[in-house]
Amino acid sequence: REASRNDGKPVPWTMNTKGNGAPAWQDDSLKVRFLTGTDPFAYLFLSASGARFTGQGGRAMTIKPANQQWRTAVHTTPQTWSAEIAIPAEVREGLKIFLESFNRTGIGPERTFYRFRSWRRWFVTGGEADLVFERPPAQPSRSYTVRLHFAELDQVKPGERVFDVRIQNKTVIQGLDVVSEAGGCRTALTREIEGISASDTITIGLLPSADSKLPAILSAIEIAQDQ
């Protein structure tokens, strides 16, 4: 959520509560209601401070899953704050959810910064959407070119930092000595590896040689899909 503004400047977040069981709704917060089957709905208030409060039905009470298995995290800057909730896979079957954001700064609307109700297919903006907890389908493998950029920034002599580079668990560069190949320190070196096959993950490993005195280095990575 983006911060409210006063005279063009972001208004500080209200986030005074701390810990589990705190009245998180008094802060800038996110309210999440969960419903599975015929069970009473559970709810969770998560403050921009990271504090949270859980309940069930119309009564405030401690919900074991929400406190122990349902992990939460927040990230707050002066301009924005975001919330993340990890839900155990075993409770995702038939899960329905309602989200609502609260503004406690006193500047701007108090609520409905964002609303989503999956079981009534309703957005506050009037659109429609489904909330789906499923693993996305596997992507087909594609071919990529990987460019690795190196620069030795320390006063290192040839032979002091030597390492292998592995991509997708295959050695693509063996015995790389950056300062030697680049011709000196603070000199850029780029190595390009074509035809790397991947669907959704490219793994790059840097393995120091047995006689290397220093750990491996890597300055930048470029990945481009081959045409």
Side-chain angles (χ1 to χ4, degrees):
R1 200 191 97 196
E2 293 187 356
S4 300
R5 291 188 170 268
N6 188 13
D7 292 333
K9 298 181 180 179
V11 179
W13 304 107
T14 300
M15 47 182 187
N16 301 316
T17 58
K18 297 181 180 179
N20 284 325
W25 61 86
Q26 296 178 1
D27 291 348
D28 286 286
S29 56
L30 177 70
K31 179 182 181 181
V32 186
R33 282 199 290 172
F34 306 92
L35 183 67
T36 55
T38 59
D39 295 336
F41 71 82
Y43 60 87
L44 182 150
F45 281 93
L46 182 61
S47 165
S49 70
R52 65 185 195 178
F53 182 90
T54 60
Q56 187 170 8
R59 298 166 297 161
M61 58 183 294
T62 299
I63 300 176
K64 183 177 179 181
N67 280 335
Q68 296 184 8
Q69 299 176 33
W70 297 21
R71 293 177 296 166
T72 59
V74 299
H75 178 69
T76 308
T77 71
Q79 290 77 30
T80 62
W81 87 273
S82 59
E84 184 176 359
I85 302 173
I87 302 173
E90 60 268 20
V91 301
R92 293 180 184 176
E93 186 70 27
L95 180 66
K96 297 179 175 64
I97 193 168
F98 169 84
L99 307 176
E100 187 172 15
S101 178
F102 291 88
N103 171 22
R104 305 304 190 193
T105 64
I107 304 295
E110 182 180 20
R111 60 175 63 190
T112 67
F113 271 88
Y114 179 70
R115 270 185 169 178
F116 176 84
R117 198 191 307 267
S118 65
W119 62 89
R120 293 183 184 174
R121 295 177 59 84
W122 172 76
F123 272 112
V124 70
T125 55
E128 291 187 354
D130 287 322
L131 186 68
V132 180
F133 293 103
E134 294 179 355
R135 183 178 295 276
Q139 298 296 315
S141 293
R142 296 180 173 86
S143 180
Y144 296 88
T145 294
V146 178
R147 298 183 190 91
L148 304 177
H149 301 271
F150 306 90
E152 184 58 74
L153 303 181
D154 299 323
Q155 294 298 323
V156 173
K157 298 177 181 179
E160 290 185 331
R161 192 193 309 271
V162 182
F163 55 94
D164 297 343
V165 178
R166 293 173 62 85
I167 299 181
Q168 303 299 68
N169 296 318
K170 294 182 180 180
T171 300
V172 294
I173 305 175
Q174 190 168 13
L176 179 62
D177 186 334
V178 174
V179 69
S180 179
E181 292 198 28
C185 299
R186 298 181 178 85
T187 302
L189 173 69
T190 300
R191 298 292 295 268
E192 185 173 286
I193 301 93
E194 299 178 338
I196 299 298
S197 179
S199 55
D200 59 1
T201 303
I202 293 179
T203 302
I204 301 173
L206 306 176
L207 307 174
S209 300
D211 55 352
S212 179
K213 298 180 180 180
L214 299 170
I217 59 170
L218 177 60
S219 301
I221 302 171
E222 288 183 83
I223 298 176
Q225 184 175 331
D226 295 336
Q227 299 299 319

